[in-house]
């Protein structure tokens, strides 16, 4: 059996990015993916342009359209609309194309791919991980678990249960002629503790509904059935799928014996917006470099992965969680005093595009909500 430098489980944004960078660094890497590729993932497909920092190739072939404007509504009325005014737009992608582009780039650099092949078990023997799959066993010096919100790899590798806030979301795609494919729509108030969205694509919409805090149930299907017709979409024409999202809920250890967890498997999604693609790509990038350092004999290389994720992502998510807690507990106040405030769309655009940090803008939003509620 050939020994790989690294086995990567899951070919979503986190795993594919890690495979790309390890292959680029000359490492022998095997990417194992349960689904046949390209695979569809229920997702709004809004991607921060900041990801190009960690994906140094042309992403344009995967961009369906670019968003430069946001339109907020409260219970489907009281709209506020404006330009982001950011240096770069947000990309809107279909995941089967976007994720596949990263996988193709990794394979072009020499990463091996076994799709339609799930990791079903792991053994640690002779200083190597052996992964069991229907296509046989594979051996690797390191493992990166990047198998998403529903993944079981971390547990199989012996990580303790990961702390997270579990969000639920539904997404449906509608194909139609688009009058404006540069404005993204978010509706607050209709769904408690979450929002409805309509994200444009060149040839239609991604529409969805998500609940990001608390346990109260609201029929997301019902809300989408009311929201979709406001865009001229007949809900029965959409194929709607649900998927959980593991939102960040505190820093935790992301390394163990010769293994790391990346992406949503590491519960890195933003607790306020539920954005998960950017942290997945960032963590895949950092994980690849940490494994490369470990293979090069650098001390404490895997610990440095956990530390860097805490310092560069966890520190921001701490603020995002504070904003989420206040925003979703007083959504009407938050809508009136934060969302409707002049400059709010620009600040939101800056956050999503990586041109501002929560640590720079959150205190202002929190102060406005608290002042508005008193
Ligand atoms: C409805 C919805 C809308 C969303 N909208 C957005 C958005 O607009 N923007 C945004 O940034 N984020 C969004 N997110 C979050 C985003 O989709 C995820 O955070 C992101 O896909 C996580 O990437 P990942 O690589 O960690 O995992 P995934 O993309 O989930 O990839 C994990 C992969 O691992 C594979 N796998 C699982 N188990 C195994 C196994 N045993 N062996 C091998 N392979 C395995 C899976 O098949 C999958 O392909 C949304 C999420 C949902 C549910």
């Amino acid at each position: 059996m050939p020994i790989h430098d690294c086995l990567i489980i899951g070919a979503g944004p986190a795993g594919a990015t890690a495979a790309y960078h390890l292959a680029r660094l000359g490492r022998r890497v095997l990417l194992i993916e349960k689904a046949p590729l390209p695979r569809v993932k229920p997702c709004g497909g809004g991607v921060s342009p900041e990801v190009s920092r960690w994906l140094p190739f042309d992403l344009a072939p995967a961009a369906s359209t670019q968003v430069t404007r946001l339109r907020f509504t409260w219970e489907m009325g009281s709209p506020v609309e404006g330009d982001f005014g950011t240096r770069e737009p947000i990309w809107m992608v279909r995941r089967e194309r976007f994720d596949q582009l990263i996988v193709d780039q990794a394979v072009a650099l020499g990463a091996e791919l076994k799709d339609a092949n799930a990791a079903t078990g792991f053994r640690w023997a002779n200083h190597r991980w052996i992964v069991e799959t229907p296509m046989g066993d594979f051996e690797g010096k390191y493992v990166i678990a990047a198998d998403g919100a529903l993944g079981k790899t971390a547990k199989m590798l012996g990580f303790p249960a990961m702390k997270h806030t579990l969000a639920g979301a539904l997404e449906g795609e509608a194909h139609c002629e688009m009058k404006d494919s540069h404005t993204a729509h978010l509706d607050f108030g209709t769904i408690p503790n979450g929002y409805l969205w309509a994200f444009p694509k060149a040839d239609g919409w991604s529409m969805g509904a998500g609940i990001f805090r608390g346990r109260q149930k609201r029929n997301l299907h019902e809300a989408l059935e009311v929201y979709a017709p406001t865009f001229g979409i007949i809900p029965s024409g959409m194929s709607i799928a649900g998927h959980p999202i593991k939102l960040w809920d505190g820093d935790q250890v992301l390394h163990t014996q010769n293994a790391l967890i990346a992406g949503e498997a590491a519960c890195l999604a933003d607790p306020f917006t539920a954005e998960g693609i950017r942290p997945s790509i960032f963590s895949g990038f950092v994980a690849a470099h940490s494994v490369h350092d470990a293979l090069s004999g650098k001390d404490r290389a895997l610990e440095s992965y956990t530390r860097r994720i805490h310092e560069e992502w966890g520190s921001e998510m701490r603020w995002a969680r504070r904003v989420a807690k206040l925003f979703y507990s007083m959504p009407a106040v938050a809508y009136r005093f934060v969302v409707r405030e002049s400059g709010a769309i620009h600040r939101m655009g800056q956050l999503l595009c990586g041109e501002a940090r929560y640590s720079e803008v959150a205190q202002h939003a929190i102060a406005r909500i608290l002042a508005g509620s008193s």
Side-chain angles (χ1 to χ4, degrees):
M1 198 192 317
I3 299 169
H4 292 86
D5 289 320
C6 189
L7 306 170
I8 298 173
I9 315 302
T17 301
Y20 171 83
H21 283 284
L22 277 163
R24 197 170 183 228
L25 291 162
R27 299 300 183 180
R28 182 165 194 180
V29 51
L30 174 64
L31 185 55
I32 295 174
E33 165 57 50
K34 178 170 75 171
L37 295 183
R39 67 97 176 79
V40 173
K41 158 92 175 62
C43 183
V47 179
S48 170
E50 194 182 12
V51 302
S52 60
R53 284 177 60 195
W54 310 297
L55 295 175
F57 47 83
D58 185 13
L59 289 161
S64 173
T65 187
Q66 301 187 331
V67 158
T68 53
R69 288 176 72 72
L70 255 183
R71 183 173 180 271
F72 292 113
T73 47
W74 172 259
E75 293 180 353
M76 300 186 207
S78 311
V80 192
E81 185 169 352
D83 283 324
F84 288 159
T86 49
R87 289 190 292 277
E88 288 185 83
I90 289 175
W91 301 325
M92 287 292 157
V93 306
R94 291 204 195 274
R95 290 290 300 276
E96 58 276 24
R97 288 194 68 177
F98 179 74
D99 295 16
Q100 190 62 39
L101 178 71
I102 312 173
V103 170
D104 289 345
Q105 292 282 334
V107 169
L109 290 179
E112 289 172 56
L113 170 68
K114 301 270 182 218
D115 65 333
N117 189 38
T120 54
F122 289 84
R123 302 192 304 277
W124 175 250
N126 302 323
H127 307 286
R128 313 250 186 279
W129 280 109
I130 299 160
V131 58
E132 295 153 19
T133 79
M135 289 184 191
D137 291 357
F138 299 95
E139 235 178 280
K141 295 175 193 165
Y142 290 85
V143 172
I144 297 175
D147 51 352
L150 295 168
K152 297 190 171 43
T153 298
K155 192 174 175 201
M156 291 192 275
L157 292 170
F159 279 92
M162 303 290 291
K163 193 160 83 145
H164 62 275
T165 299
L166 192 64
L170 287 182
E171 195 259 347
E173 304 271 320
H175 292 271
C176 60
E177 210 170 285
M178 298 295 284
K179 285 199 198 90
D180 168 12
S181 59
H182 304 293
T183 305
H185 302 252
L186 292 178
D187 178 76
F188 295 105
T190 307
I191 304 239
N193 288 315
Y195 58 76
L196 287 157
W197 76 84
F199 288 173
K201 304 285 150 73
D203 56 351
W205 294 99
S206 156
M207 289 198 178
I211 295 187
F212 308 136
R213 288 192 71 76
R215 297 215 171 268
Q216 79 259 46
K217 294 237 181 324
R218 155 94 209 211
N219 190 331
L220 297 180
H221 273 281
E222 227 172 64
L224 261 186
E225 273 165 26
V226 180
Y227 192 51
T230 67
F231 293 84
I233 301 299
I234 303 163
S236 58
M238 292 195 289
S239 56
I240 296 172
H243 203 281
I245 311 177
K246 283 185 170 172
L247 305 175
W248 186 94
D249 193 21
D251 287 333
Q252 47 202 329
V253 176
L254 304 176
H255 64 277
T256 185
Q257 176 74 60
N258 288 42
L260 301 176
I261 328 177
E264 225 184 289
C267 312
L268 296 180
D270 181 320
F272 176 50
T273 61
E275 178 192 6
I277 297 171
R278 176 169 37 168
S280 294
I281 289 172
F282 170 61
S283 62
F285 168 83
V286 180
H289 283 272
S290 300
V291 166
H292 174 69
D293 287 347
L295 286 160
S296 308
K298 199 165 165 188
D299 264 2
R300 302 188 172 277
L302 299 195
E303 286 95 320
S304 78
Y305 169 71
T306 294
R307 197 177 54 246
R308 200 165 159 199
I309 298 296
H310 292 179
E311 285 172 3
E312 295 181 41
W313 189 250
S315 59
E316 282 295 294
M317 292 305 97
R318 199 156 278 120
W319 283 109
R321 189 175 56 179
R322 279 179 207 150
V323 172
K325 214 170 171 177
L326 265 185
F327 191 100
Y328 293 122
S329 63
M330 293 183 253
V333 173
Y335 194 78
R336 185 162 162 219
F337 291 97
V338 178
V339 177
R340 293 190 70 90
E341 191 196 10
S342 92
I345 289 180
H346 178 56
R347 279 191 291 279
M348 190 68 188
Q350 285 183 310
L351 260 186
L352 295 172
C353 291
E355 294 176 17
R357 299 283 160 205
Y358 274 106
S359 41
E360 294 158 359
V361 300
Q363 288 187 53
H364 174 76
I366 289 169
R368 294 272 306 170
I369 299 174
L370 291 175
S373 68
S374 61

